[in-house]
Amino acid sequence: MLSKKTKYALKAMLVLAKEYGQGPVLISDIAQREGIPRKFLELILLELRNQGVLQSKKGKGGGYFLGRPPQQISVGQVVRILEGPLAPLPCVSKTAYMRCRECRDERTCGIRIVMKEVRDATAKILDSTTLEDMLRRVEVVVTGKESLAFSI
Amino acid sequence: MLSKKTKYALKAMLVLAKEYGQGPVLISDIAQREGIPRKFLELILLELRNQGVLQSKKGKGGGYFLGRPPQQISVGQVVRILEGPLAPLPCVSKTAYMRCRECRDERTCGIRIVMKEVRDATAKILDSTTLEDMLRRVEVVVTGKESLAFSI
DNA sequence: GAAAACTCTAGTAAATTTATAGAGTTAATT
DNA sequence: AATTAACTCTATAAATTTACTAGAGTTTTC
């Protein structure tokens, strides 16, 4: 299960994707719109900023905004920042691989083989879905229309 | 990430799958073979038993054994018992669905749509992989041979 | 009836999660 | 230059989960 922190992060990123190009958005605004505890959200946005997916502007008129356009930020990137590796086991992680200490032969570990499939399937979905995709899919549901690009 | 508990459970289940049909196996044996703290393993096996995937025999000559043949127990069943639902969010779980309190319209929640894909992909893998599959895949790697059934 | 094994309830230390508090820094505006 | 709006950063803390441990109880076999 995703932690609340990760869920909050995704919601915040979606708000910022919606407002992309319209200048910085206040932490308080995001917090209120999405019902996220303000101070907790600060920490989350700070982390996303330090990892480079968000940028911020201090002082009056400041706030947060996406570091790249919404079609260049994947759900996988966001989830990894907050949640750590997507893999169910460290020994099948590509971004944070770690050998199991007790494992004699990785190639013959049945658990590993299955969990690697799960990791790959998860990564395939999350790394190929961008913030823009998420916004667009919502629209598709609402309007019943698909963009041409989407139906290819 | 899978908890140690779940990883221990899978290891224990694989041992019992290997010994299937040969009578009960001692908790201590499993614990020793897999390097699992004995008393902790007791709790895990008890839970698996109470959920029906394991059976046990008390007293001298007792021990644990699979409740069904290895080809009828899926990894998904075991993981769900220890870890809870496979879904990253309760609102996309089939076995433990729960609406998000703050969600106005589930159909238009971008996060939900993506996480549902992840759940479905995960479930497809874990529910279709049995203990026997895991044992057999290991053999395939070791011997370089595939059974006919497997290569279909 | 003694020993071997599982059963069950309780407890506990450490880690993680989910926050909250407050002083510090930066930028805009007057 | 003073004020105020905002983000930054460190520390702390409550609640929950994880990973065990202890021990008394029950069942079965010999």
Side-chain angles (χ1 to χ4, degrees):
Chain A
M1 287 278 178
L2 291 184
S3 63
K4 281 196 180 187
K5 204 171 176 181
T6 302
K7 207 176 151 191
Y8 290 160
L10 289 172
K11 287 187 171 196
M13 292 300 282
L14 277 184
V15 169
L16 294 174
K18 238 177 265 174
E19 306 298 331
Y20 183 67
Q22 317 229 1
V25 183
L26 297 185
I27 297 179
S28 317
D29 281 1
I30 304 173
Q32 191 157 34
R33 277 167 69 165
E34 298 299 331
I36 304 170
R38 151 90 198 257
K39 280 304 234 174
F40 194 31
L41 181 59
E42 279 186 18
L43 294 184
I44 295 168
L45 296 181
L46 202 55
E47 196 162 355
L48 290 167
R49 186 198 104 104
N50 291 336
Q51 296 299 319
V53 294
L54 286 186
Q55 290 183 10
S56 61
K57 206 181 158 225
K58 277 184 175 179
K60 205 170 186 178
Y64 274 97
F65 48 98
L66 297 186
R68 302 189 289 277
Q71 63 269 25
Q72 284 177 35
I73 300 177
S74 73
V75 181
Q77 284 164 35
V78 177
V79 171
R80 281 197 191 85
I81 289 171
L82 280 301
E83 202 85 358
L86 303 180
L89 294 175
C91 66
V92 297
S93 172
K94 276 188 183 155
T95 61
Y97 169 81
M98 251 189 60
R99 197 176 158 281
C100 294
R101 204 163 24 72
E102 78 279 12
C103 200
R104 260 160 302 168
D105 183 1
E106 270 194 357
R107 290 170 314 140
T108 63
C109 174
I111 299 174
R112 182 176 193 273
I113 296 174
V114 181
M115 292 307 160
K116 178 151 180 30
E117 285 180 34
V118 172
R119 188 230 87 103
D120 289 344
T122 304
K124 192 174 171 184
I125 295 166
L126 295 187
D127 287 336
S128 72
T129 305
T130 68
L131 297 180
E132 199 206 15
D133 290 332
M134 285 219 268
L135 290 184
R136 198 169 32 177
R137 289 197 195 181
V138 170
E139 270 172 42
V140 170
V141 174
V142 172
T143 64
K145 284 181 194 166
E146 293 190 10
S147 76
L148 192 63
F150 192 65
S151 54
I152 289 175
Chain B
M1 287 278 178
L2 291 184
S3 64
K4 281 197 179 186
K5 202 172 179 182
T6 303
K7 207 175 152 190
Y8 290 159
L10 289 171
K11 287 187 171 195
M13 292 299 283
L14 276 183
V15 168
L16 294 174
K18 238 176 265 175
E19 307 297 331
Y20 183 67
Q22 318 228 0
V25 182
L26 297 185
I27 296 179
S28 316
D29 281 0
I30 305 174
Q32 191 156 33
R33 277 167 68 166
E34 298 299 331
I36 303 171
R38 152 92 201 255
K39 279 303 233 175
F40 194 31
L41 182 58
E42 277 187 19
L43 294 185
I44 295 168
L45 296 181
L46 201 55
E47 195 161 357
L48 289 167
R49 186 198 104 102
N50 291 337
Q51 296 300 318
V53 294
L54 287 186
Q55 289 184 11
S56 62
K57 206 181 158 222
K58 278 182 174 180
K60 204 170 186 176
Y64 274 98
F65 49 98
L66 297 187
R68 303 189 289 278
Q71 63 270 26
Q72 283 176 36
I73 300 178
S74 73
V75 182
Q77 283 164 35
V78 177
V79 171
R80 280 198 192 85
I81 289 171
L82 280 300
E83 202 84 358
L86 303 180
L89 294 175
C91 66
V92 297
S93 172
K94 276 190 182 153
T95 60
Y97 170 82
M98 251 190 59
R99 196 174 158 282
C100 295
R101 201 163 27 72
E102 77 280 12
C103 202
R104 260 160 303 168
D105 183 2
E106 270 192 356
R107 291 171 313 140
T108 63
C109 174
I111 299 173
R112 181 175 194 272
I113 296 174
V114 181
M115 293 306 161
K116 178 152 178 30
E117 285 181 34
V118 172
R119 188 230 87 103
D120 289 344
T122 304
K124 191 174 172 185
I125 296 166
L126 296 186
D127 288 336
S128 72
T129 305
T130 67
L131 296 180
E132 199 205 15
D133 291 331
M134 286 219 270
L135 290 183
R136 197 168 34 173
R137 290 199 196 180
V138 169
E139 269 172 41
V140 170
V141 175
V142 172
T143 64
K145 284 179 195 168
E146 293 189 12
S147 76
L148 193 62
F150 191 64
S151 53
I152 289 175

